Amino acid sequence: MVKDCSTDTVAQAVREYEGVTRKKVIGDMIRSLRIESPDVVASFGEDAAVIRHNAEDALLLAADGIWSKLMEADPFWAGYCAVLVNVHDIAAMGGRPVAMVDILSVTNDLIRDEVTRGMVTASAQFGVPIVGGHLHPDTPYSVVDVAILGTARMDQLIFSDTAEEGDAVVAAIDLDGRVHPSCCFNWDSVTMKSAEEVRAQIRVMEDLGREHLVTAGKDISNPGVIGTLGMLLEVSGKGAVIDLEAIPRPDLAAIDLPFEQWVRMYPGMGFILTVKPENVEEVCRRFAGVGLTAVPIGEVDGSRRLTVRYLGRETQVFDLDQNGIMRIFSEGGACR
């Protein structure tokens, strides 16, 4: 049982978490950027843009930046995460990462060397090369941004906006890790693993896409497991009720970690998926085979609200019609 858990406190903690609130400005910016192109299959709202390459294949393109707070606290971990989050974005789409480029702005050579050491460590571990980019030396701030290219077959793509009513919500997280010493909202389950282990974990998503075992998916990012599910539901035009007790978690008492903090953490390896009921057992088995704990935590419905449940009590976290997380589609349909 989750100790001292309240649906109200969890809902409030997620709603007010900076990892969630920072997403709210995305919609306003995107509405000024939209440009139609016949070769763009999907764009805003997905973990990676999907660009038609030929009749059978797609190119996947994504980019992520790292919070300046993390750069200041631990440049090595910031560089590592810059690679990690981009690899996750390609994997979440059912794709295979190919190569990355970076833009690095640094105040001094020490930060530059630590960031690049982190990037190279992750690049070698995941087997995705860094092939170029741009450097701003001697800037008054330190920031790292990475863009990544991936590939996938058109018929194995996993989108965020394709969840269906009646689907099970499955959370898959590698619980064999630690709270990272440099960031209390990062669960590090990757730096201590071998290249073989982390690459196998990434490949599971490609396998699930190829065999059409999931209906929608995202990697669990800065908003945490509940916030990330909210983003998936927002672009799918759906809602869900999830059981807090079912969310995979380590022994929180043993590591003195409040549940409200756990559900806001960025896991080193984690995905949120929607799955047809008949495929849930097989999906969970695939993740278990590579060391991720995967369980059904709720069900998709048509309410356009995300609600959490615990011991018979329910609290609404997001009304995605009235107060979306990204607010991308408030003036039209999905970017597809």
Side-chain angles (χ1 to χ4, degrees), residues 23-35 43-46 326-329 331 333 335:
K23 300 289 185 182
K24 292 186 181 297
V25 298
I26 293 176
D28 288 339
M29 183 188 71
I30 284 175
R31 277 186 283 280
S32 66
L33 290 177
R34 289 187 184 179
I35 297 175
S43 56
F44 302 113
E46 299 295 340
M326 298 176 289
R327 304 176 184 180
I328 294 177
F329 307 133
E331 295 179 1
C335 292

Side-chain angles (χ1 to χ4, degrees), residues 47 87-94 158 169-174 198 201-206 208 216-221 225 228-229 232 248 267-274 287 290 292-295 297:
D47 287 307
V87 170
H88 278 171
D89 282 342
I90 299 301
M93 301 290 296
I158 299 172
V169 177
V170 173
I173 303 173
D174 186 351
V198 297
Q201 291 178 332
I202 288 296
R203 282 197 300 269
V204 168
M205 291 297 293
E206 187 177 353
L208 295 178
K218 291 186 81 67
D219 68 303
I220 300 174
S221 55
V225 60
T228 300
L229 173 60
L232 183 152
M269 194 70 67
F271 300 94
I272 194 82
L273 310 163
T274 60
F287 280 114
V290 293
L292 274 73
T293 299
V295 294
I297 64 171

Side-chain angles (χ1 to χ4, degrees), residues 50 117 195 257:
V50 179
R117 187 170 68 88
L257 189 69

Side-chain angles (χ1 to χ4, degrees), residues 4 8 36 39 55 73 165 188 208 235-238 274 278 312 329:
D4 301 326
D8 288 342
E36 297 298 324
D39 290 324
E165 291 183 42
D188 174 17
L208 295 178
V235 297
S236 288
K238 300 294 186 290
T274 60
E278 61 268 25
F329 307 133

Side-chain angles (χ1 to χ4, degrees), residues 147-279:
I148 189 167
L149 178 69
T151 61
R153 287 186 56 86
M154 291 292 296
D155 60 1
Q156 73 179 46
L157 288 163
I158 299 172
F159 295 101
S160 296
D161 68 347
T162 46
E164 300 176 4
E165 291 183 42
D167 287 348
V169 177
V170 173
I173 303 173
D174 186 351
L175 303 180
D176 178 23
R178 59 169 185 163
V179 179
H180 196 278
S182 296
C183 183
C184 64
F185 285 101
N186 284 180
W187 178 254
D188 174 17
S189 64
V190 286
T191 58
M192 69 290 292
K193 302 287 171 62
S194 69
E196 182 181 7
E197 287 173 302
V198 297
R199 295 182 196 186
Q201 291 178 332
I202 288 296
R203 282 197 300 269
V204 168
M205 291 297 293
E206 187 177 353
D207 294 339
L208 295 178
R210 182 172 53 251
E211 299 179 40
H212 305 106
L213 290 173
V214 303
T215 56
K218 291 186 81 67
D219 68 303
I220 300 174
S221 55
N222 269 336
V225 60
I226 298 173
T228 300
L229 173 60
M231 292 193 297
L232 183 152
L233 296 171
E234 181 178 10
V235 297
S236 288
K238 300 294 186 290
V241 179
I242 61 170
D243 184 356
L244 295 179
E245 177 67 24
I247 293 175
R249 58 192 182 277
D251 186 341
L252 298 179
I255 58 177
D256 193 26
L257 189 69
F259 183 75
E260 289 86 350
Q261 182 172 340
W262 170 249
V263 295
R264 290 178 288 169
M265 294 185 80
Y266 169 76
M269 194 70 67
F271 300 94
I272 194 82
L273 310 163
T274 60
V275 182
K276 292 298 181 190
E278 61 268 25
N279 292 330

